[in-house]
């Protein structure tokens, strides 16, 4: 048996120079691998914190069965969070958090990596009911945006009467405030397409169900103790938005904050697996938002960034540049969530759209649609690892 002094001797790998560890981190392909590297020992963890210019990694896919799929390595994480432990009837991603709807009609935000709930942001599901006696189907909650520590915005979908925006505000030492807005005939809009947080303000994109009127961009004033208000910034429809999925279904439109630009992404048609897909997506920038003459300006570059789109969560990330581990420049990573799958393969219509080449390539690993599961596949962006 080795003497105790030898057992306590420092191992050679503990003394790796921080510069060498930085080179290793540059080649680590996933968030989980970065976490494992930092967990080796205290010295490695300290050296990893000194690396301030690590390339951004691809997000995870939150799968319908509650597991997380790491990209691009394809590692599955089944025990990150067990949703049955939280009595979850519905789940959405808000970016780096999960919004859970419980069977007792309560809602909460959960960090799946630490399994800590954020109690100050808990929302009562009953506030989403718009008419007495009408119950809200939990899967009709389409998107949740956390505006601040005490403000949560929820967009409901197009089932029954629920095509509106609900904002829950928890103010210190006062009663909770519930504010609801639904487009009406006077607004020439009856369908909210998307909501997004941009420069600490909440923006909303709306139109009519049959595109009889142009798109309208709204801004919601929430901050401070003043009453919540909403006003239309501009009315403008770029391109031909008369195209539809069918007689009643709109093509997807997404609002995405990308650095100092508010972008709208319009999907022009379904993905055609055996045909060219040039023009599948168009990207527009909200221009002249501070004036009365705002408009949507078409752009052909994301300026060194990539977009990740899904109905419940959309984000913009810096491209990885010469690194092959992260997002590709001028590419749109998309997930079509609700019932939009290839019946032959059972897989979601998802992929990577290259704006410059007009081509669609598969995601590093295809995502199978679980049609019997209440959850949808969506993007999840772990906190910086």
């Amino acid at each position: 048996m080795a003497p105790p002094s030898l057992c306590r001797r420092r191992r050679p790998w503990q003394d790796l120079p921080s510069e060498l560890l930085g080179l290793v981190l540059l080649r680590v392909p996933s968030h989980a691998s970065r976490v494992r590297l930092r967990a080796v020992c205290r010295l490695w963890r300290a050296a990893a914190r000194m690396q301030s210019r690590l390339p951004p990694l691809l997000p995870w896919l939150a799968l319908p069965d509650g597991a997380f799929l790491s990209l691009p390595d394809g590692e599955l994480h089944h025990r990150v969070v067990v949703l049955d432990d939280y009595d979850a009837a519905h789940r959405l991603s808000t970016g780096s958090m999960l919004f859970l709807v419980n069977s007792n009609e309560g809602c909460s935000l959960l960090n799946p990596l630490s399994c800590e709930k954020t109690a100050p942001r808990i929302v009562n599901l009953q506030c989403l009911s718009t008419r007495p006696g009408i119950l809200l189907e939990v899967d009709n909650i389409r998107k949740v945006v956390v505006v601040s520590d005490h403000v949560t915005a929820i967009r409901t979908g197009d089932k029954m009467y629920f095509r509106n925006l609900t904002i829950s505000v928890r103010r210190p030492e006062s009663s909770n405030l519930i504010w609801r807005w639904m487009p009406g005939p006077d607004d020439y809009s009856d369908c909210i397409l998307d909501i997004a947080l941009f420069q600490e303000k909440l923006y909303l994109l709306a139109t009519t169900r049959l595109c009889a009127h142009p798109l309208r961009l709204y801004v919601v004033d929430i901050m401070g103790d003043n009453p919540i208000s909403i006003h239309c910034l501009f009315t403008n429809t770029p391109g031909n938005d008369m195209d539809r999925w069918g007689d009643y279904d709109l093509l997807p439109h997404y609002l995405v904050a990308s650095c100092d630009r508010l972008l709208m992404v319009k999907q022009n048609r379904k993905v055609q697996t055996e045909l060219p897909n040039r023009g599948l997506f168009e990207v527009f920038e909200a221009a002249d938002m501070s004036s009365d003459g705002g408009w949507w300006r078409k752009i052909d570059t994301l300026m060194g960034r990539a977009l990740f789109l899904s109905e419940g969560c959309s984000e913009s990330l810096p491209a990885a540049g010469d690194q092959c581990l992260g997002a590709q420049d001028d590419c749109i990573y998309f997930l079509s969530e609700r019932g939009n799958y290839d019946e032959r393969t059972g897989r979601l219509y998802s992929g990577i759209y290259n704006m410059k080449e007009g081509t669609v390539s598969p995601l590093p690993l295809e995502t199978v649609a679980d049609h019997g599961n209440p959850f949808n596949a969506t993007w999840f962006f772990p906190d910086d690892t």
Side-chain angles (χ1 to χ4, degrees):
M1 183 174 179
S5 59
L6 293 180
C7 295
R8 292 192 296 268
R9 184 177 300 169
R10 292 170 61 89
R11 296 171 175 82
W13 44 263
Q14 288 182 291
D15 295 322
L16 286 177
S18 60
E19 295 82 3
L20 183 57
L21 279 173
L23 293 176
V24 173
L25 278 169
L26 287 174
R27 289 160 177 79
V28 167
S30 68
H31 294 277
S33 297
R34 285 186 179 177
V35 171
R36 293 189 185 106
L37 185 147
R38 295 180 181 186
V40 168
C41 65
R42 179 178 55 82
L43 295 176
W44 280 31
R45 184 161 54 253
R49 289 172 179 164
M50 297 172 59
Q51 311 300 324
S52 59
R53 290 189 171 272
L54 293 176
L57 297 176
L58 291 170
W60 285 0
L61 284 175
L63 300 181
D65 63 358
F68 291 86
L69 178 67
S70 175
L71 301 177
D73 58 335
E75 182 179 359
L76 276 173
H77 304 276
H78 288 285
R79 303 295 298 180
V80 174
V81 57
V82 180
L83 295 177
D84 289 343
D85 295 344
Y86 296 91
D87 193 24
H90 190 46
R91 176 212 67 186
L92 296 95
S93 170
T94 66
S96 61
M97 303 284 284
L98 295 181
F99 181 82
L100 302 181
V101 180
N102 311 111
S103 59
N104 62 358
E105 296 190 349
C107 305
S108 61
L109 282 168
L110 174 73
N111 184 336
L113 300 183
S114 64
C115 292
E116 293 181 356
K117 283 188 178 181
T118 51
R121 298 174 183 168
I122 290 178
V123 180
N124 189 338
L125 189 63
Q126 295 178 353
C127 73
L128 300 178
S129 298
T130 56
R131 297 190 179 187
I134 296 180
L135 299 177
L136 174 68
E137 298 182 41
V138 293
D139 65 348
N140 198 37
I141 301 174
R142 299 301 183 87
K143 189 169 186 176
V144 176
V145 174
V146 178
V147 182
S148 68
D149 285 341
H150 59 282
V151 180
T152 303
I154 302 173
R155 180 177 76 89
T156 48
D158 55 2
K159 292 183 181 179
M160 301 170 66
Y161 301 99
F162 302 102
R163 296 189 295 270
N164 60 14
L165 172 71
T166 300
I167 296 177
S168 173
V169 181
R170 284 179 170 263
R171 289 175 172 164
E173 300 179 359
S174 65
S175 60
N176 297 339
L177 171 66
I178 301 298
W179 181 88
R180 183 180 295 110
W181 182 79
M182 177 185 293
D186 295 340
D187 299 295
Y188 297 102
S189 302
D190 61 10
C191 182
I192 298 175
L193 298 174
D194 203 2
I195 59 176
L197 186 65
F198 174 63
Q199 295 181 346
E200 299 184 349
K201 293 183 179 181
L202 186 68
Y203 290 83
L204 182 152
L205 185 68
T207 186
T208 56
R209 167 62 59 180
L210 297 178
C211 291
H213 295 280
L215 297 173
R216 299 172 74 89
L217 181 67
Y218 297 85
V219 61
V220 184
D221 186 4
I222 305 173
M223 300 305 173
D225 295 328
N226 298 323
I228 298 175
S229 62
I230 183 171
H231 69 274
C232 180
L233 287 178
F234 60 83
T235 301
N236 183 270
T237 301
N240 182 17
D241 261 1
M242 297 301 292
D243 297 333
R244 301 187 294 272
W245 287 102
D247 291 338
Y248 300 100
D249 292 326
L250 288 169
L251 287 163
H253 291 66
Y254 306 91
L255 280 181
V256 191
S258 184
C259 287
D260 59 349
R261 303 195 295 180
L262 179 63
L263 305 181
M264 178 188 69
V265 184
K266 173 178 176 284
Q267 185 172 340
N268 288 317
R269 59 179 180 274
K270 286 186 177 181
V271 181
Q272 303 174 53
T273 56
E274 299 177 356
L275 296 174
N277 283 283
R278 182 169 293 279
L280 176 64
F281 290 95
E282 292 181 284
V283 184
F284 302 86
E285 175 188 359
D288 298 330
M289 295 173 62
S290 59
S291 66
D292 294 333
W295 56 294
W296 293 110
R297 175 170 56 207
K298 186 174 181 178
I299 60 176
D300 56 10
T301 179
L302 300 176
M303 300 180 65
R305 301 185 73 83
L307 301 181
F308 294 81
L309 305 180
S310 66
E311 182 184 39
C313 181
S314 298
E315 298 278 351
S316 167
L317 290 182
D322 296 334
Q323 302 289 332
C324 60
L325 304 177
Q328 303 172 38
D329 190 16
D330 288 332
C331 284
I332 298 173
Y333 296 70
F334 63 95
L335 286 175
S336 298
E337 298 176 33
R338 294 183 174 269
N340 193 12
Y341 57 91
D342 190 331
E343 295 182 356
R344 297 174 302 171
T345 63
R347 298 183 182 276
L348 292 172
Y349 280 121
S350 58
I352 308 170
Y353 177 71
N354 189 304
M355 293 177 59
K356 294 179 180 178
E357 300 176 2
T359 57
V360 173
S361 57
L363 288 171
L365 278 176
E366 287 289 349
T367 307
V368 177
D370 186 348
H371 313 308
N373 200 293
F375 308 130
N376 298 305
T378 187
W379 298 113
F380 173 72
F381 300 82
D383 287 330
D384 185 23
T385 55

